[in-house]
Amino acid sequence: QVQLVESGGGLAQAGGSLRLSCGVSGSISSIKSMGWHRQAPGKRRELVAAITGGSSTNYADSVKGRFTISRDNAKTVYLQMNSLKPEDTAVYYCNALIRDRRGYDNDLWGQGTQVTVSS
């Protein structure tokens, strides 16, 4: 079964850094895009950053210049978070749009990882 495996996150002080990683486990045909979303208490889930199969990236305005999304191979994506702010505190979810071996597209979500930034 194809699934996303997240790691990273935790507690950081304002101005600090954290790195999240997310890998696709299982056999797939291709990855169309991968990204990170976040959801803070009482707020809607929002896109933080995404990267396509062609390595095009886009970021939420609130994280531009501070966060960087990257991929080191076909199945792992990273989110480097620098200059963290307390408002970055949220559960971060990895998301991937993949094509499976049968030729069907699947929208996958990770289990979420907590990021807490103290002031």
Side-chain angles (χ1 to χ4, degrees):
Q1 182 176 351
V2 179
Q3 59 184 357
L4 301 181
V5 180
E6 302 169 348
S7 62
L11 177 64
Q13 291 187 333
S17 298
L18 287 173
R19 190 191 198 203
L20 307 181
S21 65
C22 173
V24 180
S25 68
S27 180
I28 61 172
S29 178
S30 63
I31 297 176
K32 292 189 170 184
S33 65
M34 294 187 76
W36 291 93
H37 293 67
R38 68 185 181 188
Q39 187 167 20
K43 295 188 176 181
R44 299 179 66 177
R45 189 174 296 189
E46 62 175 357
L47 175 68
V48 176
I51 185 166
T52 68
S55 297
S56 296
T57 59
N58 66 288
Y59 297 90
D61 288 342
S62 60
V63 306
K64 283 181 181 176
R66 301 188 298 121
F67 291 10
T68 303
I69 190 169
S70 62
R71 287 171 60 176
D72 68 347
N73 57 38
K75 297 176 67 176
T76 304
V77 66
Y78 302 93
L79 184 68
Q80 179 66 43
M81 304 183 291
N82 298 329
S83 302
L84 284 163
K85 303 176 180 180
E87 50 263 44
D88 294 319
T89 296
V91 178
Y92 284 69
Y93 296 91
C94 180
N95 170 245
L97 180 61
I98 64 102
R99 178 154 292 176
D100 64 24
R101 291 295 184 186
R102 301 169 300 166
Y104 295 106
D105 290 342
N106 293 263
D107 190 19
L108 305 177
W109 290 87
Q111 76 281 6
T113 184
Q114 178 70 46
V115 170
T116 302
V117 183
S118 62
S119 57

